[in-house]
Amino acid sequence: MKKYLVPFVLILLGGTATAQELKYTNGNDAWNPDSLGNHRVVLNVSTAGKVAKAVIPWRRRDLQPEQKELWVVDAKSNKRITHVKIADINREQGTIYFEPTSGAGTYYVYYMPYKVDGRSNYPNASYLKRSTANNDTWPASTDKAALVKVQEIQSVNAMNSNYPMEVIATAKETGDLIRQHPDKSYFVFPEDRLNPIKMTADLPQRWILKGLKNSFSATAAKGENFAFQLGIYAVKKDLNNVEIRFTDLKSKTGGRIPASLLSCLNTDGTNWNTLPLHKTVNVAKDKVQSLWVLANLPKELSAGSYTGTATVSANGAAKTTIQISIQISNQLAVEGGINEPWKQTRLTWLNSTLAQKNEVISPYIPLAVKDQTISLLGRQISLNKDGLPAQIQTFFTPEMTELSATAKDILTEPIHFHVTAADHKDIIWKNGPVNFTEKQPGTVQWNTINTSDKLTMQVNGAVEFDGFLSYTVQLIAQQDISLDDIRLHIPFTEAASKYMMGLGLKGGNRLDTLKWKWDVANKNQDGAWIGDVNAGLQYSLRDQHYVRPLNTNFYLQKPLLLPSSWGNEGKGGIQVFKKGKAILSDNYSGSRTMKKGDTLYYNFTLLITPFHPINTDFQWSNRFYHKYENLDTIKATGANLINIHHATPINPFINYPFIAHKEMKSYINEAHLKGLKVKIYNTVRELSNSAYETFPLRSLGHEIYSPGKGGGYSWLQEHLGEDYIAAWYVPEIKDAAVVNSGMSRWHNYYVEGMNWLVKNVGIDGIYLDDVAFDRTTMKRIKRVLTKDGHPGIIDLHSANQYNKSDGFNNSANLYMEHFPYLNRLWFGEYFYYDKNSPDFFLTEVSGIPFGLMGEMLQDGGNAWRGMVYGMTNRMPWSDGADPRPIWKAWDNFGMQGSKMIGYWVENNPVKSNQANVPVTIYRKDKSVLVALASWANEDTKIRLNIDWKALGMDPAKATITAAEVKNFQPAASFKDQEEITVPKGKGWMLVIKE
């Protein structure tokens, strides 16, 4: 880890001479912090004596230090000293007596020891409480105590240092400063970008030594993304609506930096959805708030000094003007200086709109509109007169390998609302015209207004090129009204509703009847997917307050918001049942009253599945190696696509792959020379504490980081203090992550970061371990990853999230909005391949009904069942489940160019006579690879029913053989209609060849 630490600069505090000035130095990992704590005082005993007295002006930011344990260690013997007496401890200083057991020399005071509890990857540091075993009889006298010099304070390493921004000012120093400026209700402290403000409850000693100044000066390069801070300290009262206004910065030679190029990150910016963002900043009395100023300097500036002002204002308080002076050098910053991110040059990425234009992404095609019908890749939507879908059709073959000219209807009749008055009669609408407001290759939008004397229903719809529909439906009361119910009906055809996933159901065959009620506090469920392999819909019910919840094991800490329309205080729900020819999804909300002018939002989204045909050749030719390893070793396995996790030498810090980027680039360059591709772990859900921008991001309140109870590893407790959620931790490098808040400007940074990695490091794609961003960000990521011909391979992994802590959601249902842009699935932990049915495999694991293919993980997968879906496990993840023998069998057969025909295809030419032993074939001219697997409860015998004519083979000339495949099957041969023994839970790969 030391290799990647930002260099620690040793500086002796200057300024007014006081007894409290100390050196703060880097301990270079000289001790074990998980045993002794992260900080120690170095004492020098210069005279002999039985008692030594140390007065330590440590200026600690931690609270209640008097309750924490304190150990004195003899540097010479490296042993704890037993005779220690605590005279006085507070945050500003501590007085201790100890026995200098080795006489004159060096002694250490470890003043925040802790023990680590909890799981290794989710630890919690508990600070040891002060021992009450003070020996009242020792020392007998302190009159002749040995002289002790407080030499320095050491942190175990640079990462853990409190210098300079976490060394607190004393209460007297702060009080004196306030008394010196009785007219000010708040102070403004200009601060350099290299010293991010970290404390909110204390002033740093640095500001006391500098004094209160009304000017700031710095040096920057031409074209640099320059940043600095204004620290606001509320002295007399709470400050509300704190803002900064800038003037132009001008040089004596007439040069100008327009005020429009300066902004405050904390108050203004561009949100993840391209909308302008304005935030109100309030500062509570006695609190500190950092305001980060961004200045994107023009490249064309002439060198020289540019001066202007930044004026801080707050409601009911006098304005404070700070003189700004920036010395522009002759140097031209490269790409804004983003190659030096420790200078906070990448903060401007938070306001990026890169790749936001909704341009069509391959393999999708531009949307086409004819009358009220919208066509897209493999699908078609016809709008009804009320603006809702009248029919949705798909054009995918049952094999899912290509498109068909024959449409498959998803609906038996239009999707429609029933708004039922108190008299139990449906309101009859007068439909306005359907107006198309946008017709672009990537997006089509329309609206219509449906009216009655009691209610107006405004419908705004949009569809995107990948098959995502979003509806904003407003019901507006024209008079006071009581309603019996408001319900949305989605009437599926039986042919397009064989399977279902969501609403408390594992993926699989649809139940005849389902009844479901909202429970957002415990269940991450607001809709379902209903469909067949080649046609289906996922829908989600929302209102205008929808906010993406946290996912995976953090769901319960930020769950779904109950939509006030659909939920209706617990009255709403969903039932799915057969009604006539339809499988009806009945989404009801129950009785309610509305006052004239009230508006209810019955919003919903639809995803039309599948998204595209499956790419079987990609599956056969791209073989993943999921581990950082020597490249020659990897190549020798036959794998050709490497996934690099975090906590590896070239990608050490979770979701922040910008520190060891030179090492990463070197590895990727060598991989490319050997014909290998490299993808890296990088996503949004949690963020490493090693991120250069950690404290600027913290200054944004809960915009980037979720609120929480704090705790976790010691670094988080000692430097963030409180109000965060501790996330993944890597003990080997002490990388402690914090949970992101959901949709935020961090997604803009994430997109820019991906773009930088493609351009400067050469990554071939990303490995996503769950996804905490929405489909808008996913599209942006896909655009930057595939720009200029880059492969842009995206691989999604998830553990099974159907459990209490994850909110009982299905991974495929949760992440389906991202499926249009993925290349492979790896649905792994807790997907028990030996214990689940074929329909679960098909819907929750394989990805096939959505145009994807996948791999297995848990317990190495089930190789025989996996082959029915074209899946293996992944190198070198599972002991005893090596996929190389199967890869070799693929190559021997020649899987490239074969046509996959799954057991779900009615006219599959090869079938089993046992329903619980399904058969999938991979067909080539005059040869077929047959994959069969058993879900029977015991060993069984089957016969293959082969349609020789459909295969184009002469049974008299054909052979049926099984090649020996290590850990899979012995060599064997069979005759047509011969019984084949299939062991329980296993299967065969047979080759039929003429």
Side-chain angles (χ1 to χ4, degrees), residues 1 121 647 729-735:
M1 181 179 178
N121 294 117
Y729 174 74
V730 181
E732 294 80 8
I733 60 172
K734 302 193 183 320
D735 185 38

Side-chain angles (χ1 to χ4, degrees), residues 332-507:
L332 178 63
V334 178
E335 293 188 76
I338 56 176
N339 56 324
E340 298 180 299
W342 52 89
K343 293 182 179 179
Q344 306 301 343
T345 49
R346 295 183 181 182
L347 287 178
T348 189
W349 283 0
L350 292 168
N351 293 321
S352 171
T353 59
L354 179 65
Q356 277 282 13
K357 187 177 180 183
N358 201 36
E359 295 172 332
V360 178
I361 299 170
S362 178
Y364 301 101
I365 60 176
L367 295 167
V369 182
K370 184 178 180 181
D371 298 327
Q372 292 191 179
T373 297
I374 306 163
S375 299
L376 57 154
L377 179 68
R379 290 151 293 172
Q380 186 170 277
I381 307 146
S382 299
L383 298 179
N384 200 17
K385 56 188 177 181
D386 60 3
L388 301 176
Q391 184 55 271
I392 301 175
Q393 299 172 310
T394 65
F395 295 85
F396 297 90
T397 64
E399 293 88 344
M400 274 300 298
T401 54
E402 56 195 345
L403 299 178
S404 167
T406 304
K408 183 169 183 175
D409 291 347
I410 292 179
L411 306 175
T412 60
E413 61 175 323
I415 294 175
H416 54 277
F417 277 93
H418 287 283
V419 182
T420 309
D423 60 5
H424 310 306
K425 294 181 180 180
D426 282 0
I427 289 175
I428 306 300
W429 302 104
K430 180 180 179 182
N431 307 118
V434 175
N435 300 306
F436 285 94
T437 57
E438 182 179 352
K439 293 181 181 179
Q440 297 293 332
T443 307
V444 171
Q445 296 188 27
W446 61 92
N447 61 39
T448 189
I449 299 177
N450 306 286
T451 58
S452 72
D453 58 345
K454 298 176 180 178
L455 287 171
T456 296
M457 181 168 67
Q458 294 185 4
V459 176
N460 288 271
V463 63
E464 298 185 18
F465 60 84
D466 59 4
F468 174 75
L469 282 85
S470 60
Y471 273 99
T472 300
V473 179
Q474 299 177 66
L475 284 176
I476 306 166
Q478 302 302 315
Q479 56 183 260
D480 293 356
I481 185 173
S482 295
L483 297 170
D484 191 37
D485 205 349
I486 301 171
R487 56 210 311 153
L488 174 69
H489 279 179
I490 307 177
F492 289 85
T493 64
E494 284 199 70
S497 57
K498 183 176 181 180
Y499 306 105
M500 184 171 176
M501 175 170 50
L503 302 180
L505 295 179
K506 288 167 54 178

Side-chain angles (χ1 to χ4, degrees), residues 887-899:
W887 291 351
K888 184 178 179 181
W890 287 359
D891 292 338
N892 290 340
F893 172 72
M895 287 289 271
Q896 288 291 109
S898 66
K899 181 177 181 179

